[in-house]
Amino acid sequence: MKNKNKKTVMSPAPSSVQKRKLIPKKTITSIEKNPEKLESEEVVKPSLSCVRRLPSYLQLLRALQADGHEYVSGTVLASVHHLAPVIVRKDLAFTGVTGTPRIGFQVTELIAAIERFLGWDNQNKAVLVGVGNLGSALLGYHGFENFGLQIVACFDNDPMKIDTWIRGCKVHSLDQLPRFIRRSHIVLGVLTVPAEAAQKTAERMVESGLLGIWNFTSVKLAVPANVVTQKEDLAEGLAVLSHRMQHVSKTLAIQQ
Amino acid sequence: MKNKNKKTVMSPAPSSVQKRKLIPKKTITSIEKNPEKLESEEVVKPSLSCVRRLPSYLQLLRALQADGHEYVSGTVLASVHHLAPVIVRKDLAFTGVTGTPRIGFQVTELIAAIERFLGWDNQNKAVLVGVGNLGSALLGYHGFENFGLQIVACFDNDPMKIDTWIRGCKVHSLDQLPRFIRRSHIVLGVLTVPAEAAQKTAERMVESGLLGIWNFTSVKLAVPANVVTQKEDLAEGLAVLSHRMQHVSKTLAIQQ
DNA sequence: TAGATTGTTAATCGATTAACAATC
DNA sequence: TAGATTGTTAATCGATTAACAATC
């Protein structure tokens, strides 16, 4: 994958676009090294870590906004989250906002920029499949509405649950899913079924037309390339916690 | 923090310990460059990513064990999780197990090694503080017992909830926490209170003697250095999902 | 034996951090 | 003005990947 014929890169040097770069570009050095990459994919993409950090900025910004703050510096955002200020500056650059030296960023503008960047500016509707313990907890937790997500319907296979109401949401039969998705133009599904049923259920969700699955099961799903899945695995966090605790107790034991 | 007086490192060269290294060492080059670091902290530590991946291996290994498989190759573990085989080999090396070329790893031995490494070989008891939606879902979800965690008691501030039973667990007043912790020698707490109460509650948990807090609130907790906190933030995963979905739809639009 | 797999070193890649001019 | 903060490049660090001898 080298030297795919490029179209005349020797055209007028890009010096005219020098006013205010909203999105960071690669360094000139790397452009020289890979001149065939001067086209659209040239834009630097945010790291996964950056995307993961943005919601925490958002949360703090909303609190600041509620407190009546008009501006906030990257330095402040950084210290609250125990991050280096330069990390915050780089992360925020991806959202397209520009700050003012000595002043910082306009809170309202920054909130809007992060929301837009993450696609949380319009409320995204979602269905939830699998109304067990975790499923009903998520139904009852309306905090996701701060993150652009609104669960509007839920589905289950269990005849005992179908047509009952859970946390203000009527449980539908899983058989109803395709029709419901098609009518409602919903693209996102939350999967909270038991592990055994995970892959099968995911397939039905994909067939119904969903394009994203937020996967709370312990199963790594196999889905077509145009479908995005995100696995939420609490065991990961627990592993980190356990490991750190072991480490701390060892360190303390050594120090004694 | 350099050149802390070390005790005679010139003693008999470590060539005698050459049979089977269970834990990877740094390369000779780096030892030569930092000769003052020849002591215990010399051991290479696993990356956070490695620790996060171990539970997923564990889960698959248990399924294989239940299916009667005696051996599994790193290659298989890798392909199931869409990882490069060398990642799996390196991760497993940290647990101290040794595989057999052409055969792979003994499933039972590997399960035990990962559990030991993560401190999941004995069931760790924990308390849960804050019996709201999420709290009661976690109480009802017994899957953590596969990960060495057993929630044995729960606490809340709400007089309406105190002394009721939720998912087989009696809700105690938060005031009872210090006495309970001291009597039971529990070190781990799960925090599922509303954001406003998070920091205050965490402080009470620390005062009671807890050494680890699994934090399900949206608040970054401030705790003493000897206390470990692990923040579980669903918004992170949702951000990644939203971002990926935007990207996929853009890519598809371009390709059309 | 042949060939798949392990364990390990070296190279690559990408994210974080350092450094600093520009700005208000 | 002075000095805090932004935006950006270059250096560093650490994790992933490539490569390969050793092994069964």
Side-chain angles (χ1 to χ4, degrees):
Chain A
M1 49 164 185
K2 281 184 120 185
N3 262 335
K4 38 163 91 166
N5 258 348
K6 66 203 163 185
K7 5 185 164 152
T8 55
V9 185
M10 286 314 189
S11 50
S15 63
S16 56
V17 205
Q18 265 293 17
K19 40 172 79 163
R20 267 291 188 197
K21 302 156 200 161
L22 294 184
I23 291 168
K25 304 262 168 49
K26 282 201 176 158
T27 64
I28 294 177
T29 340
S30 71
I31 289 176
E32 280 165 354
K33 276 184 188 159
N34 308 301
E36 75 274 12
K37 279 199 174 177
L38 256 183
E39 299 170 45
S40 61
E41 67 262 5
E42 153 61 16
V43 180
V44 174
K45 284 197 302 181
S47 68
L48 207 63
S49 326
C50 165
V51 176
R52 288 185 170 279
R53 282 188 296 258
L54 288 173
S56 65
Y57 304 145
L58 187 58
Q59 202 231 333
L60 180 56
L61 288 164
R62 289 207 181 110
L64 289 169
Q65 189 181 45
D67 266 18
H69 291 79
E70 199 177 344
Y71 287 92
V72 63
S73 75
T75 320
V76 168
L77 289 178
S79 72
V80 171
H81 292 298
H82 303 285
L83 296 169
V86 67
I87 290 269
V88 176
R89 296 205 294 276
K90 289 208 163 177
D91 287 350
L92 297 186
F94 282 109
T95 69
V97 289
T98 307
T100 311
R102 266 263 320 135
I103 308 287
F105 299 84
Q106 212 203 324
V107 173
T108 311
E109 191 191 339
L110 199 42
I111 289 174
I114 295 177
E115 287 179 346
R116 190 171 355 100
F117 184 80
L118 293 172
W120 292 353
D121 43 353
N122 318 315
Q123 208 67 233
N124 294 308
K125 290 183 178 168
V127 297
L128 182 142
V129 183
V131 191
N133 275 328
L134 187 58
S136 36
L138 294 182
L139 281 176
Y141 173 64
H142 290 272
F144 295 138
E145 288 168 17
N146 292 325
F147 305 113
L149 190 76
Q150 194 192 354
I151 298 174
V152 295
C154 61
F155 298 83
D156 204 294
N157 238 344
D158 182 354
M160 293 288 288
K161 287 177 184 163
I162 292 167
D163 286 336
T164 63
W165 289 74
I166 294 188
R167 323 258 173 190
C169 195
K170 191 182 174 191
V171 182
H172 299 94
S173 160
L174 196 50
D175 300 326
Q176 304 285 323
L177 187 64
R179 204 158 61 98
F180 185 89
I181 297 295
R182 244 151 252 160
R183 273 191 320 196
S184 60
H185 303 288
I186 285 174
V187 293
L188 197 60
V190 182
L191 182 61
T192 46
V193 298
E196 313 81 67
Q199 179 61 39
K200 268 269 166 56
T201 310
E203 282 162 19
R204 293 184 71 174
M205 292 165 81
V206 170
E207 282 161 21
S208 304
L210 292 179
L211 295 174
I213 298 178
W214 200 5
N215 175 18
F216 283 84
T217 77
S218 56
V219 175
K220 176 95 193 175
L221 300 174
V223 293
N226 66 323
V227 176
V228 179
T229 65
Q230 172 69 23
K231 190 158 172 278
E232 213 60 56
D233 188 355
L234 295 180
E236 286 183 14
L238 185 54
V240 174
L241 180 61
S242 309
H243 187 255
R244 279 199 193 138
M245 286 183 71
Q246 279 191 326
H247 184 73
V248 166
S249 44
K250 262 184 221 160
T251 311
L252 294 179
I254 290 168
Q255 283 172 352
Q256 275 170 6
Chain B
M1 51 164 185
K2 279 185 119 184
N3 262 333
K4 38 163 91 168
N5 258 346
K6 67 202 164 184
K7 6 186 163 150
T8 56
V9 185
M10 285 313 187
S11 50
S15 64
S16 56
V17 204
Q18 264 294 17
K19 40 172 79 165
R20 268 291 190 194
K21 302 156 203 162
L22 293 186
I23 292 167
K25 303 265 167 50
K26 281 202 178 158
T27 65
I28 294 175
T29 340
S30 69
I31 290 176
E32 279 165 353
K33 276 184 189 161
N34 308 302
E36 75 273 13
K37 279 198 175 176
L38 258 183
E39 297 170 47
S40 61
E41 68 261 4
E42 153 62 16
V43 180
V44 175
K45 283 197 303 183
S47 68
L48 206 63
S49 326
C50 165
V51 175
R52 288 185 170 279
R53 282 188 296 257
L54 288 173
S56 65
Y57 303 146
L58 187 58
Q59 201 231 333
L60 180 57
L61 288 164
R62 288 206 182 110
L64 289 170
Q65 189 181 46
D67 266 19
H69 291 78
E70 199 178 345
Y71 288 92
V72 63
S73 75
T75 321
V76 168
L77 289 177
S79 72
V80 172
H81 292 298
H82 303 286
L83 296 169
V86 67
I87 290 270
V88 176
R89 296 205 294 276
K90 288 207 165 179
D91 286 351
L92 297 186
F94 282 109
T95 69
V97 289
T98 307
T100 310
R102 275 276 294 152
I103 308 287
F105 299 85
Q106 214 203 322
V107 173
T108 311
E109 190 191 339
L110 199 42
I111 289 174
I114 296 177
E115 287 179 346
R116 190 170 355 99
F117 183 80
L118 293 173
W120 292 353
D121 42 352
N122 318 315
Q123 207 68 233
N124 296 307
K125 289 183 178 168
V127 297
L128 183 141
V129 183
V131 191
N133 275 328
L134 187 58
S136 36
L138 294 183
L139 281 177
Y141 174 63
H142 290 272
F144 294 139
E145 290 168 15
N146 292 325
F147 306 114
L149 190 76
Q150 195 191 353
I151 298 174
V152 296
C154 61
F155 298 83
D156 204 294
N157 239 346
D158 182 353
M160 293 288 287
K161 286 177 184 163
I162 291 167
D163 286 335
T164 64
W165 289 75
I166 294 188
R167 323 257 173 190
C169 195
K170 191 183 176 192
V171 182
H172 299 93
S173 161
L174 197 49
D175 300 326
Q176 304 285 325
L177 187 64
R179 204 158 60 97
F180 185 88
I181 297 295
R182 244 152 250 160
R183 273 192 321 197
S184 60
H185 303 287
I186 285 175
V187 293
L188 197 61
V190 181
L191 182 61
T192 46
V193 298
E196 314 81 66
Q199 179 60 39
K200 269 267 166 57
T201 310
E203 283 162 18
R204 295 184 71 174
M205 291 166 82
V206 170
E207 283 161 21
S208 303
L210 292 179
L211 295 175
I213 298 179
W214 200 7
N215 174 17
F216 282 83
T217 77
S218 56
V219 175
K220 175 96 194 175
L221 300 174
V223 294
N226 66 324
V227 176
V228 179
T229 65
Q230 172 69 24
K231 189 158 172 281
E232 212 61 56
D233 188 356
L234 294 180
E236 286 184 15
L238 185 53
V240 174
L241 179 61
S242 308
H243 187 255
R244 279 199 193 139
M245 285 184 70
Q246 280 191 324
H247 185 73
V248 166
S249 45
K250 262 184 221 161
T251 311
L252 293 179
I254 290 168
Q255 284 174 349
Q256 276 169 7

